């Protein structure tokens, strides 16, 4: 077997491996495509320490979305406005209790109960 054929098979193996990883990431939800639609919801809270634009949002322990944006209220005593990206079809009650749950590594989750 000459050098060109060997390099072809090595390249083919790499491409098949990368394709397999991409399929697994899509299958297990680590990469989200345009399949899932979201709607925006806004929440005013007094403190957003630890939250980032990639933080998870949970309702009764089930992940229902993520945080899209965080901005200050016009009046600093008013807290912050958090824009949530909620999975379409999820109904969030008006009277939920909102808490910030912090993990061991520093990530924070916006939890609603």
């Amino acid at each position: 077997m000459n050098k060109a054929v060997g390099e072809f098979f090595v390249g083919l193996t790499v491409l098949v491996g990368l394709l397999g990883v991409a399929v697994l990431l899509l299958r297990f939800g680590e990469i989200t495509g345009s399949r899932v639609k979201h709607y925006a919801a806004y929440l005013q809270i007094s403190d957003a320490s630890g939250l980032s634009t990639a933080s998870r949002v949970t309702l009764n322990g089930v992940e229902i979305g993520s945080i899209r944006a965080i901005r200050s209220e016009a009046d600093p005593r008013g807290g912050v406005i958090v824009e949530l990206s909620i999975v379409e079809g999820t109904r969030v009650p008006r009277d939920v209790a909102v808490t910030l749950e912090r993990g061991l590594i520093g990530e924070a989750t916006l939890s609603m109960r």
Side-chain angles (χ1 to χ4, degrees):
M1 181 163 57
N2 64 18
K3 186 176 179 180
V5 173
E7 289 179 359
F8 171 76
F9 283 117
V10 169
L12 184 64
T13 303
V14 169
L15 287 177
V16 169
L18 289 174
L19 181 64
V21 168
V23 167
L24 287 174
L25 288 174
L26 285 170
R27 180 86 173 142
F28 291 112
E30 295 297 323
I31 299 175
T32 57
S34 60
R35 298 176 288 147
V36 180
K37 296 188 179 195
H38 292 79
Y39 67 90
Y42 297 90
L43 179 66
Q44 182 177 357
I45 56 177
S46 61
D47 183 25
S49 62
L51 291 178
S52 69
T53 55
S55 295
R56 299 178 334 144
V57 177
T58 62
L59 177 64
N60 296 328
V62 178
E63 185 173 347
I64 61 168
S66 62
I67 295 178
R68 187 179 295 169
I70 303 171
R71 67 176 188 273
S72 297
E73 183 68 74
D75 180 14
R77 294 174 294 217
V80 294
I81 302 291
V82 179
E83 182 181 352
L84 309 175
S85 177
I86 306 294
V87 174
E88 192 171 292
T90 304
R91 295 180 58 166
V92 179
R94 289 185 183 269
D95 60 346
V96 295
V98 177
T99 58
L100 295 178
E101 295 179 356
R102 290 177 181 85
L104 295 175
I105 308 173
E107 77 278 357
T109 301
L110 187 71
S111 178
M112 296 184 231
R113 296 183 193 266

